[in-house]
mmCIF file with all atom_site columns, all heavy atoms in Angstrom:
data_model
loop_
_atom_site.group_PDB
_atom_site.id
_atom_site.type_symbol
_atom_site.label_atom_id
_atom_site.label_alt_id
_atom_site.label_comp_id
_atom_site.label_asym_id
_atom_site.label_entity_id
_atom_site.label_seq_id
_atom_site.pdbx_PDB_ins_code
_atom_site.Cartn_x
_atom_site.Cartn_y
_atom_site.Cartn_z
_atom_site.occupancy
_atom_site.B_iso_or_equiv
_atom_site.pdbx_formal_charge
_atom_site.auth_seq_id
_atom_site.auth_comp_id
_atom_site.auth_asym_id
_atom_site.auth_atom_id
_atom_site.pdbx_PDB_model_num
ATOM 1   N N   . ALA L 1 1  ? -39.513 194.519 13.446 1.00 94.00 ? 12 ALA L N   1
ATOM 2   C CA  . ALA L 1 1  ? -38.494 193.795 14.212 1.00 94.00 ? 12 ALA L CA  1
ATOM 3   C C   . ALA L 1 1  ? -39.094 192.581 14.905 1.00 94.00 ? 12 ALA L C   1
ATOM 4   O O   . ALA L 1 1  ? -38.490 191.502 14.935 1.00 94.00 ? 12 ALA L O   1
ATOM 5   C CB  . ALA L 1 1  ? -37.847 194.727 15.236 1.00 94.00 ? 12 ALA L CB  1
ATOM 6   N N   . ARG L 1 2  ? -40.299 192.750 15.465 1.00 93.00 ? 13 ARG L N   1
ATOM 7   C CA  . ARG L 1 2  ? -40.929 191.624 16.166 1.00 93.00 ? 13 ARG L CA  1
ATOM 8   C C   . ARG L 1 2  ? -41.282 190.500 15.202 1.00 93.00 ? 13 ARG L C   1
ATOM 9   O O   . ARG L 1 2  ? -41.158 189.321 15.530 1.00 93.00 ? 13 ARG L O   1
ATOM 10  C CB  . ARG L 1 2  ? -42.186 192.099 16.891 1.00 93.00 ? 13 ARG L CB  1
ATOM 11  C CG  . ARG L 1 2  ? -41.894 192.938 18.126 1.00 93.00 ? 13 ARG L CG  1
ATOM 12  C CD  . ARG L 1 2  ? -43.122 193.070 18.995 1.00 93.00 ? 13 ARG L CD  1
ATOM 13  N NE  . ARG L 1 2  ? -43.616 191.764 19.441 1.00 93.00 ? 13 ARG L NE  1
ATOM 14  C CZ  . ARG L 1 2  ? -44.645 191.609 20.280 1.00 93.00 ? 13 ARG L CZ  1
ATOM 15  N NH1 . ARG L 1 2  ? -45.283 192.676 20.755 1.00 93.00 ? 13 ARG L NH1 1
ATOM 16  N NH2 . ARG L 1 2  ? -45.038 190.410 20.634 1.00 93.00 ? 13 ARG L NH2 1
ATOM 17  N N   . SER L 1 3  ? -41.725 190.837 14.015 1.00 93.00 ? 14 SER L N   1
ATOM 18  C CA  . SER L 1 3  ? -42.098 189.817 13.022 1.00 93.00 ? 14 SER L CA  1
ATOM 19  C C   . SER L 1 3  ? -40.915 189.367 12.177 1.00 93.00 ? 14 SER L C   1
ATOM 20  O O   . SER L 1 3  ? -41.078 188.533 11.279 1.00 93.00 ? 14 SER L O   1
ATOM 21  C CB  . SER L 1 3  ? -43.198 190.362 12.116 1.00 93.00 ? 14 SER L CB  1
ATOM 22  O OG  . SER L 1 3  ? -42.735 191.509 11.414 1.00 93.00 ? 14 SER L OG  1
ATOM 23  N N   . GLU L 1 4  ? -39.727 189.929 12.439 1.00 92.00 ? 15 GLU L N   1
ATOM 24  C CA  . GLU L 1 4  ? -38.507 189.617 11.687 1.00 92.00 ? 15 GLU L CA  1
ATOM 25  C C   . GLU L 1 4  ? -38.693 189.840 10.187 1.00 92.00 ? 15 GLU L C   1
ATOM 26  O O   . GLU L 1 4  ? -38.237 189.048 9.355  1.00 92.00 ? 15 GLU L O   1
ATOM 27  C CB  . GLU L 1 4  ? -38.044 188.184 11.969 1.00 92.00 ? 15 GLU L CB  1
ATOM 28  C CG  . GLU L 1 4  ? -37.646 187.952 13.418 1.00 92.00 ? 15 GLU L CG  1
ATOM 29  C CD  . GLU L 1 4  ? -36.972 186.608 13.637 1.00 92.00 ? 15 GLU L CD  1
ATOM 30  O OE1 . GLU L 1 4  ? -36.821 185.865 12.655 1.00 92.00 ? 15 GLU L OE1 1
ATOM 31  O OE2 . GLU L 1 4  ? -36.603 186.318 14.788 1.00 92.00 ? 15 GLU L OE2 1
ATOM 32  N N   . ASP L 1 5  ? -39.387 190.911 9.878  1.00 94.00 ? 16 ASP L N   1
ATOM 33  C CA  . ASP L 1 5  ? -39.551 191.313 8.480  1.00 94.00 ? 16 ASP L CA  1
ATOM 34  C C   . ASP L 1 5  ? -38.345 192.197 8.128  1.00 94.00 ? 16 ASP L C   1
ATOM 35  O O   . ASP L 1 5  ? -38.423 193.436 8.155  1.00 94.00 ? 16 ASP L O   1
ATOM 36  C CB  . ASP L 1 5  ? -40.867 192.064 8.297  1.00 94.00 ? 16 ASP L CB  1
ATOM 37  C CG  . ASP L 1 5  ? -41.217 192.275 6.830  1.00 94.00 ? 16 ASP L CG  1
ATOM 38  O OD1 . ASP L 1 5  ? -40.299 192.143 5.988  1.00 94.00 ? 16 ASP L OD1 1
ATOM 39  O OD2 . ASP L 1 5  ? -42.382 192.595 6.526  1.00 94.00 ? 16 ASP L OD2 1
ATOM 40  N N   . HIS L 1 6  ? -37.250 191.558 7.795  1.00 93.00 ? 17 HIS L N   1
ATOM 41  C CA  . HIS L 1 6  ? -36.001 192.285 7.587  1.00 93.00 ? 17 HIS L CA  1
ATOM 42  C C   . HIS L 1 6  ? -36.067 193.215 6.375  1.00 93.00 ? 17 HIS L C   1
ATOM 43  O O   . HIS L 1 6  ? -35.472 194.306 6.396  1.00 93.00 ? 17 HIS L O   1
ATOM 44  C CB  . HIS L 1 6  ? -34.848 191.288 7.425  1.00 93.00 ? 17 HIS L CB  1
ATOM 45  C CG  . HIS L 1 6  ? -34.779 190.279 8.534  1.00 93.00 ? 17 HIS L CG  1
ATOM 46  N ND1 . HIS L 1 6  ? -34.809 190.632 9.856  1.00 93.00 ? 17 HIS L ND1 1
ATOM 47  C CD2 . HIS L 1 6  ? -34.700 188.921 8.505  1.00 93.00 ? 17 HIS L CD2 1
ATOM 48  C CE1 . HIS L 1 6  ? -34.727 189.543 10.610 1.00 93.00 ? 17 HIS L CE1 1
ATOM 49  N NE2 . HIS L 1 6  ? -34.673 188.498 9.808  1.00 93.00 ? 17 HIS L NE2 1
ATOM 50  N N   . LYS L 1 7  ? -36.783 192.799 5.379  1.00 93.00 ? 18 LYS L N   1
ATOM 51  C CA  . LYS L 1 7  ? -36.878 193.632 4.183  1.00 93.00 ? 18 LYS L CA  1
ATOM 52  C C   . LYS L 1 7  ? -37.568 194.952 4.498  1.00 93.00 ? 18 LYS L C   1
ATOM 53  O O   . LYS L 1 7  ? -37.115 196.026 4.090  1.00 93.00 ? 18 LYS L O   1
ATOM 54  C CB  . LYS L 1 7  ? -37.631 192.869 3.089  1.00 93.00 ? 18 LYS L CB  1
ATOM 55  C CG  . LYS L 1 7  ? -37.703 193.621 1.770  1.00 93.00 ? 18 LYS L CG  1
ATOM 56  C CD  . LYS L 1 7  ? -38.399 192.783 0.699  1.00 93.00 ? 18 LYS L CD  1
ATOM 57  C CE  . LYS L 1 7  ? -38.465 193.553 -0.618 1.00 93.00 ? 18 LYS L CE  1
ATOM 58  N NZ  . LYS L 1 7  ? -39.146 192.751 -1.686 1.00 93.00 ? 18 LYS L NZ  1
ATOM 59  N N   . LYS L 1 8  ? -38.684 194.875 5.240  1.00 94.00 ? 19 LYS L N   1
ATOM 60  C CA  . LYS L 1 8  ? -39.405 196.091 5.608  1.00 94.00 ? 19 LYS L CA  1
ATOM 61  C C   . LYS L 1 8  ? -38.575 196.969 6.549  1.00 94.00 ? 19 LYS L C   1
ATOM 62  O O   . LYS L 1 8  ? -38.600 198.198 6.462  1.00 94.00 ? 19 LYS L O   1
ATOM 63  C CB  . LYS L 1 8  ? -40.727 195.720 6.279  1.00 94.00 ? 19 LYS L CB  1
ATOM 64  C CG  . LYS L 1 8  ? -41.821 195.322 5.319  1.00 94.00 ? 19 LYS L CG  1
ATOM 65  C CD  . LYS L 1 8  ? -42.304 196.532 4.508  1.00 94.00 ? 19 LYS L CD  1
ATOM 66  C CE  . LYS L 1 8  ? -43.494 196.172 3.635  1.00 94.00 ? 19 LYS L CE  1
ATOM 67  N NZ  . LYS L 1 8  ? -43.957 197.332 2.836  1.00 94.00 ? 19 LYS L NZ  1
ATOM 68  N N   . SER L 1 9  ? -37.830 196.329 7.438  1.00 94.00 ? 20 SER L N   1
ATOM 69  C CA  . SER L 1 9  ? -36.983 197.104 8.356  1.00 94.00 ? 20 SER L CA  1
ATOM 70  C C   . SER L 1 9  ? -35.972 197.929 7.587  1.00 94.00 ? 20 SER L C   1
ATOM 71  O O   . SER L 1 9  ? -35.716 199.101 7.922  1.00 94.00 ? 20 SER L O   1
ATOM 72  C CB  . SER L 1 9  ? -36.269 196.159 9.326  1.00 94.00 ? 20 SER L CB  1
ATOM 73  O OG  . SER L 1 9  ? -37.190 195.510 10.165 1.00 94.00 ? 20 SER L OG  1
ATOM 74  N N   . GLU L 1 10 ? -35.403 197.342 6.544  1.00 93.00 ? 21 GLU L N   1
ATOM 75  C CA  . GLU L 1 10 ? -34.426 198.081 5.747  1.00 93.00 ? 21 GLU L CA  1
ATOM 76  C C   . GLU L 1 10 ? -35.112 199.169 4.917  1.00 93.00 ? 21 GLU L C   1
ATOM 77  O O   . GLU L 1 10 ? -34.549 200.256 4.724  1.00 93.00 ? 21 GLU L O   1
ATOM 78  C CB  . GLU L 1 10 ? -33.662 197.120 4.845  1.00 93.00 ? 21 GLU L CB  1
ATOM 79  C CG  . GLU L 1 10 ? -32.735 196.182 5.611  1.00 93.00 ? 21 GLU L CG  1
ATOM 80  C CD  . GLU L 1 10 ? -31.835 195.380 4.705  1.00 93.00 ? 21 GLU L CD  1
ATOM 81  O OE1 . GLU L 1 10 ? -32.314 194.388 4.127  1.00 93.00 ? 21 GLU L OE1 1
ATOM 82  O OE2 . GLU L 1 10 ? -30.655 195.764 4.572  1.00 93.00 ? 21 GLU L OE2 1
ATOM 83  N N   . GLU L 1 11 ? -36.323 198.890 4.444  1.00 93.00 ? 22 GLU L N   1
ATOM 84  C CA  . GLU L 1 11 ? -37.042 199.901 3.671  1.00 93.00 ? 22 GLU L CA  1
ATOM 85  C C   . GLU L 1 11 ? -37.359 201.126 4.526  1.00 93.00 ? 22 GLU L C   1
ATOM 86  O O   . GLU L 1 11 ? -37.375 202.257 4.019  1.00 93.00 ? 22 GLU L O   1
ATOM 87  C CB  . GLU L 1 11 ? -38.333 199.302 3.106  1.00 93.00 ? 22 GLU L CB  1
ATOM 88  C CG  . GLU L 1 11 ? -38.102 198.311 1.971  1.00 93.00 ? 22 GLU L CG  1
ATOM 89  C CD  . GLU L 1 11 ? -39.408 197.716 1.474  1.00 93.00 ? 22 GLU L CD  1
ATOM 90  O OE1 . GLU L 1 11 ? -40.484 198.101 2.023  1.00 93.00 ? 22 GLU L OE1 1
ATOM 91  O OE2 . GLU L 1 11 ? -39.373 196.881 0.561  1.00 93.00 ? 22 GLU L OE2 1
ATOM 92  N N   . TYR L 1 12 ? -37.602 200.908 5.810  1.00 93.00 ? 23 TYR L N   1
ATOM 93  C CA  . TYR L 1 12 ? -37.914 202.012 6.711  1.00 93.00 ? 23 TYR L CA  1
ATOM 94  C C   . TYR L 1 12 ? -36.655 202.560 7.389  1.00 93.00 ? 23 TYR L C   1
ATOM 95  O O   . TYR L 1 12 ? -36.739 203.197 8.420  1.00 93.00 ? 23 TYR L O   1
ATOM 96  C CB  . TYR L 1 12 ? -38.942 201.572 7.753  1.00 93.00 ? 23 TYR L CB  1
ATOM 97  C CG  . TYR L 1 12 ? -40.372 201.619 7.249  1.00 93.00 ? 23 TYR L CG  1
ATOM 98  C CD1 . TYR L 1 12 ? -40.832 200.702 6.306  1.00 93.00 ? 23 TYR L CD1 1
ATOM 99  C CD2 . TYR L 1 12 ? -41.250 202.592 7.702  1.00 93.00 ? 23 TYR L CD2 1
ATOM 100 C CE1 . TYR L 1 12 ? -42.137 200.737 5.835  1.00 93.00 ? 23 TYR L CE1 1
ATOM 101 C CE2 . TYR L 1 12 ? -42.560 202.642 7.240  1.00 93.00 ? 23 TYR L CE2 1
ATOM 102 C CZ  . TYR L 1 12 ? -42.997 201.713 6.304  1.00 93.00 ? 23 TYR L CZ  1
ATOM 103 O OH  . TYR L 1 12 ? -44.294 201.773 5.834  1.00 93.00 ? 23 TYR L OH  1
ATOM 104 N N   . ALA L 1 13 ? -35.498 202.300 6.777  1.00 93.00 ? 24 ALA L N   1
ATOM 105 C CA  . ALA L 1 13 ? -34.214 202.921 7.163  1.00 93.00 ? 24 ALA L CA  1
ATOM 106 C C   . ALA L 1 13 ? -33.820 202.635 8.606  1.00 93.00 ? 24 ALA L C   1
ATOM 107 O O   . ALA L 1 13 ? -33.422 203.534 9.357  1.00 93.00 ? 24 ALA L O   1
ATOM 108 C CB  . ALA L 1 13 ? -34.262 204.428 6.914  1.00 93.00 ? 24 ALA L CB  1
ATOM 109 N N   . LEU L 1 14 ? -33.906 201.376 8.996  1.00 93.00 ? 25 LEU L N   1
ATOM 110 C CA  . LEU L 1 14 ? -33.474 201.017 10.345 1.00 93.00 ? 25 LEU L CA  1
ATOM 111 C C   . LEU L 1 14 ? -31.993 201.322 10.551 1.00 93.00 ? 25 LEU L C   1
ATOM 112 O O   . LEU L 1 14 ? -31.565 201.668 11.663 1.00 93.00 ? 25 LEU L O   1
ATOM 113 C CB  . LEU L 1 14 ? -33.737 199.525 10.600 1.00 93.00 ? 25 LEU L CB  1
ATOM 114 C CG  . LEU L 1 14 ? -33.250 198.974 11.931 1.00 93.00 ? 25 LEU L CG  1
ATOM 115 C CD1 . LEU L 1 14 ? -33.960 199.637 13.102 1.00 93.00 ? 25 LEU L CD1 1
ATOM 116 C CD2 . LEU L 1 14 ? -33.421 197.453 11.990 1.00 93.00 ? 25 LEU L CD2 1
ATOM 117 N N   . LYS L 1 15 ? -31.213 201.233 9.476  1.00 92.00 ? 26 LYS L N   1
ATOM 118 C CA  . LYS L 1 15 ? -29.761 201.464 9.596  1.00 92.00 ? 26 LYS L CA  1
ATOM 119 C C   . LYS L 1 15 ? -29.435 202.896 9.998  1.00 92.00 ? 26 LYS L C   1
ATOM 120 O O   . LYS L 1 15 ? -28.341 203.182 10.490 1.00 92.00 ? 26 LYS L O   1
ATOM 121 C CB  . LYS L 1 15 ? -29.056 201.121 8.281  1.00 92.00 ? 26 LYS L CB  1
ATOM 122 C CG  . LYS L 1 15 ? -29.436 201.998 7.111  1.00 92.00 ? 26 LYS L CG  1
ATOM 123 C CD  . LYS L 1 15 ? -28.650 201.605 5.877  1.00 92.00 ? 26 LYS L CD  1
ATOM 124 C CE  . LYS L 1 15 ? -29.030 202.474 4.672  1.00 92.00 ? 26 LYS L CE  1
ATOM 125 N NZ  . LYS L 1 15 ? -30.449 202.352 4.305  1.00 92.00 ? 26 LYS L NZ  1
ATOM 126 N N   . ASP L 1 16 ? -30.382 203.837 9.807  1.00 92.00 ? 27 ASP L N   1
ATOM 127 C CA  . ASP L 1 16 ? -30.141 205.230 10.184 1.00 92.00 ? 27 ASP L CA  1
ATOM 128 C C   . ASP L 1 16 ? -30.373 205.477 11.672 1.00 92.00 ? 27 ASP L C   1
ATOM 129 O O   . ASP L 1 16 ? -30.074 206.573 12.164 1.00 92.00 ? 27 ASP L O   1
ATOM 130 C CB  . ASP L 1 16 ? -31.050 206.162 9.374  1.00 92.00 ? 27 ASP L CB  1
ATOM 131 C CG  . ASP L 1 16 ? -30.645 206.229 7.912  1.00 92.00 ? 27 ASP L CG  1
ATOM 132 O OD1 . ASP L 1 16 ? -29.473 205.917 7.618  1.00 92.00 ? 27 ASP L OD1 1
ATOM 133 O OD2 . ASP L 1 16 ? -31.486 206.575 7.062  1.00 92.00 ? 27 ASP L OD2 1
ATOM 134 N N   . CYS L 1 17 ? -30.908 204.499 12.368 1.00 94.00 ? 28 CYS L N   1
ATOM 135 C CA  . CYS L 1 17 ? -31.145 204.660 13.805 1.00 94.00 ? 28 CYS L CA  1
ATOM 136 C C   . CYS L 1 17 ? -29.808 204.798 14.528 1.00 94.00 ? 28 CYS L C   1
ATOM 137 O O   . CYS L 1 17 ? -28.907 203.965 14.361 1.00 94.00 ? 28 CYS L O   1
ATOM 138 C CB  . CYS L 1 17 ? -31.916 203.463 14.353 1.00 94.00 ? 28 CYS L CB  1
ATOM 139 S SG  . CYS L 1 17 ? -32.131 203.482 16.141 1.00 94.00 ? 28 CYS L SG  1
ATOM 140 N N   . ILE L 1 18 ? -29.668 205.851 15.348 1.00 92.00 ? 29 ILE L N   1
ATOM 141 C CA  . ILE L 1 18 ? -28.410 206.094 16.073 1.00 92.00 ? 29 ILE L CA  1
ATOM 142 C C   . ILE L 1 18 ? -28.443 205.482 17.478 1.00 92.00 ? 29 ILE L C   1
ATOM 143 O O   . ILE L 1 18 ? -27.511 205.676 18.253 1.00 92.00 ? 29 ILE L O   1
ATOM 144 C CB  . ILE L 1 18 ? -28.113 207.601 16.155 1.00 92.00 ? 29 ILE L CB  1
ATOM 145 C CG1 . ILE L 1 18 ? -29.228 208.328 16.897 1.00 92.00 ? 29 ILE L CG1 1
ATOM 146 C CG2 . ILE L 1 18 ? -27.891 208.173 14.762 1.00 92.00 ? 29 ILE L CG2 1
ATOM 147 C CD1 . ILE L 1 18 ? -28.961 209.811 17.123 1.00 92.00 ? 29 ILE L CD1 1
ATOM 148 N N   . GLU L 1 19 ? -29.532 204.782 17.796 1.00 92.00 ? 30 GLU L N   1
ATOM 149 C CA  . GLU L 1 19 ? -29.679 204.092 19.084 1.00 92.00 ? 30 GLU L CA  1
ATOM 150 C C   . GLU L 1 19 ? -29.513 205.054 20.262 1.00 92.00 ? 30 GLU L C   1
ATOM 151 O O   . GLU L 1 19 ? -28.881 204.740 21.272 1.00 92.00 ? 30 GLU L O   1
ATOM 152 C CB  . GLU L 1 19 ? -28.682 202.931 19.189 1.00 92.00 ? 30 GLU L CB  1
ATOM 153 C CG  . GLU L 1 19 ? -28.844 201.898 18.091 1.00 92.00 ? 30 GLU L CG  1
ATOM 154 C CD  . GLU L 1 19 ? -27.833 200.773 18.193 1.00 92.00 ? 30 GLU L CD  1
ATOM 155 O OE1 . GLU L 1 19 ? -27.243 200.606 19.278 1.00 92.00 ? 30 GLU L OE1 1
ATOM 156 O OE2 . GLU L 1 19 ? -27.634 200.049 17.196 1.00 92.00 ? 30 GLU L OE2 1
ATOM 157 N N   . CYS L 1 20 ? -30.098 206.238 20.125 1.00 93.00 ? 31 CYS L N   1
ATOM 158 C CA  . CYS L 1 20 ? -29.989 207.242 21.188 1.00 93.00 ? 31 CYS L CA  1
ATOM 159 C C   . CYS L 1 20 ? -30.883 206.930 22.369 1.00 93.00 ? 31 CYS L C   1
ATOM 160 O O   . CYS L 1 20 ? -30.675 207.448 23.472 1.00 93.00 ? 31 CYS L O   1
ATOM 161 C CB  . CYS L 1 20 ? -30.317 208.625 20.630 1.00 93.00 ? 31 CYS L CB  1
ATOM 162 S SG  . CYS L 1 20 ? -32.011 208.777 19.992 1.00 93.00 ? 31 CYS L SG  1
ATOM 163 N N   . GLY L 1 21 ? -31.917 206.100 22.169 1.00 93.00 ? 32 GLY L N   1
ATOM 164 C CA  . GLY L 1 21 ? -32.795 205.721 23.264 1.00 93.00 ? 32 GLY L CA  1
ATOM 165 C C   . GLY L 1 21 ? -33.922 206.685 23.543 1.00 93.00 ? 32 GLY L C   1
ATOM 166 O O   . GLY L 1 21 ? -34.680 206.499 24.507 1.00 93.00 ? 32 GLY L O   1
ATOM 167 N N   . VAL L 1 22 ? -34.083 207.719 22.726 1.00 95.00 ? 33 VAL L N   1
ATOM 168 C CA  . VAL L 1 22 ? -35.141 208.698 22.959 1.00 95.00 ? 33 VAL L CA  1
ATOM 169 C C   . VAL L 1 22 ? -36.517 208.054 22.845 1.00 95.00 ? 33 VAL L C   1
ATOM 170 O O   . VAL L 1 22 ? -37.427 208.329 23.642 1.00 95.00 ? 33 VAL L O   1
ATOM 171 C CB  . VAL L 1 22 ? -34.997 209.877 21.979 1.00 95.00 ? 33 VAL L CB  1
ATOM 172 C CG1 . VAL L 1 22 ? -36.233 210.783 22.021 1.00 95.00 ? 33 VAL L CG1 1
ATOM 173 C CG2 . VAL L 1 22 ? -33.754 210.678 22.297 1.00 95.00 ? 33 VAL L CG2 1
ATOM 174 N N   . CYS L 1 23 ? -36.706 207.190 21.862 1.00 95.00 ? 34 CYS L N   1
ATOM 175 C CA  . CYS L 1 23 ? -38.013 206.568 21.639 1.00 95.00 ? 34 CYS L CA  1
ATOM 176 C C   . CYS L 1 23 ? -38.446 205.746 22.852 1.00 95.00 ? 34 CYS L C   1
ATOM 177 O O   . CYS L 1 23 ? -39.606 205.805 23.285 1.00 95.00 ? 34 CYS L O   1
ATOM 178 C CB  . CYS L 1 23 ? -37.995 205.718 20.377 1.00 95.00 ? 34 CYS L CB  1
ATOM 179 S SG  . CYS L 1 23 ? -36.669 204.482 20.355 1.00 95.00 ? 34 CYS L SG  1
ATOM 180 N N   . ALA L 1 24 ? -37.530 204.976 23.401 1.00 94.00 ? 35 ALA L N   1
ATOM 181 C CA  . ALA L 1 24 ? -37.861 204.179 24.587 1.00 94.00 ? 35 ALA L CA  1
ATOM 182 C C   . ALA L 1 24 ? -38.090 205.067 25.803 1.00 94.00 ? 35 ALA L C   1
ATOM 183 O O   . ALA L 1 24 ? -38.902 204.743 26.680 1.00 94.00 ? 35 ALA L O   1
ATOM 184 C CB  . ALA L 1 24 ? -36.743 203.181 24.864 1.00 94.00 ? 35 ALA L CB  1
ATOM 185 N N   . TYR L 1 25 ? -37.406 206.204 25.848 1.00 94.00 ? 36 TYR L N   1
ATOM 186 C CA  . TYR L 1 25 ? -37.525 207.117 26.990 1.00 94.00 ? 36 TYR L CA  1
ATOM 187 C C   . TYR L 1 25 ? -38.931 207.728 27.074 1.00 94.00 ? 36 TYR L C   1
ATOM 188 O O   . TYR L 1 25 ? -39.483 207.924 28.163 1.00 94.00 ? 36 TYR L O   1
ATOM 189 C CB  . TYR L 1 25 ? -36.469 208.209 26.863 1.00 94.00 ? 36 TYR L CB  1
ATOM 190 C CG  . TYR L 1 25 ? -36.412 209.166 28.022 1.00 94.00 ? 36 TYR L CG  1
ATOM 191 C CD1 . TYR L 1 25 ? -35.685 208.871 29.163 1.00 94.00 ? 36 TYR L CD1 1
ATOM 192 C CD2 . TYR L 1 25 ? -37.092 210.392 27.962 1.00 94.00 ? 36 TYR L CD2 1
ATOM 193 C CE1 . TYR L 1 25 ? -35.627 209.762 30.225 1.00 94.00 ? 36 TYR L CE1 1
ATOM 194 C CE2 . TYR L 1 25 ? -37.040 211.291 29.014 1.00 94.00 ? 36 TYR L CE2 1
ATOM 195 C CZ  . TYR L 1 25 ? -36.301 210.971 30.145 1.00 94.00 ? 36 TYR L CZ  1
ATOM 196 O OH  . TYR L 1 25 ? -36.252 211.854 31.204 1.00 94.00 ? 36 TYR L OH  1
ATOM 197 N N   . VAL L 1 26 ? -39.516 208.016 25.908 1.00 95.00 ? 37 VAL L N   1
ATOM 198 C CA  . VAL L 1 26 ? -40.820 208.693 25.893 1.00 95.00 ? 37 VAL L CA  1
ATOM 199 C C   . VAL L 1 26 ? -41.992 207.733 25.732 1.00 95.00 ? 37 VAL L C   1
ATOM 200 O O   . VAL L 1 26 ? -43.152 208.172 25.784 1.00 95.00 ? 37 VAL L O   1
ATOM 201 C CB  . VAL L 1 26 ? -40.858 209.735 24.756 1.00 95.00 ? 37 VAL L CB  1
ATOM 202 C CG1 . VAL L 1 26 ? -39.764 210.772 24.943 1.00 95.00 ? 37 VAL L CG1 1
ATOM 203 C CG2 . VAL L 1 26 ? -40.745 209.073 23.384 1.00 95.00 ? 37 VAL L CG2 1
ATOM 204 N N   . CYS L 1 27 ? -41.728 206.440 25.534 1.00 96.00 ? 38 CYS L N   1
ATOM 205 C CA  . CYS L 1 27 ? -42.812 205.488 25.266 1.00 96.00 ? 38 CYS L CA  1
ATOM 206 C C   . CYS L 1 27 ? -43.678 205.301 26.511 1.00 96.00 ? 38 CYS L C   1
ATOM 207 O O   . CYS L 1 27 ? -43.184 204.854 27.550 1.00 96.00 ? 38 CYS L O   1
ATOM 208 C CB  . CYS L 1 27 ? -42.243 204.157 24.815 1.00 96.00 ? 38 CYS L CB  1
ATOM 209 S SG  . CYS L 1 27 ? -43.523 202.918 24.483 1.00 96.00 ? 38 CYS L SG  1
#
């Protein structure tokens, strides 16, 4: 996301993210 590598973001299934915020909560 930071490098705006959109192709890689889609390959790693960014669209499946439900934006629950758990990752930011535990970081």
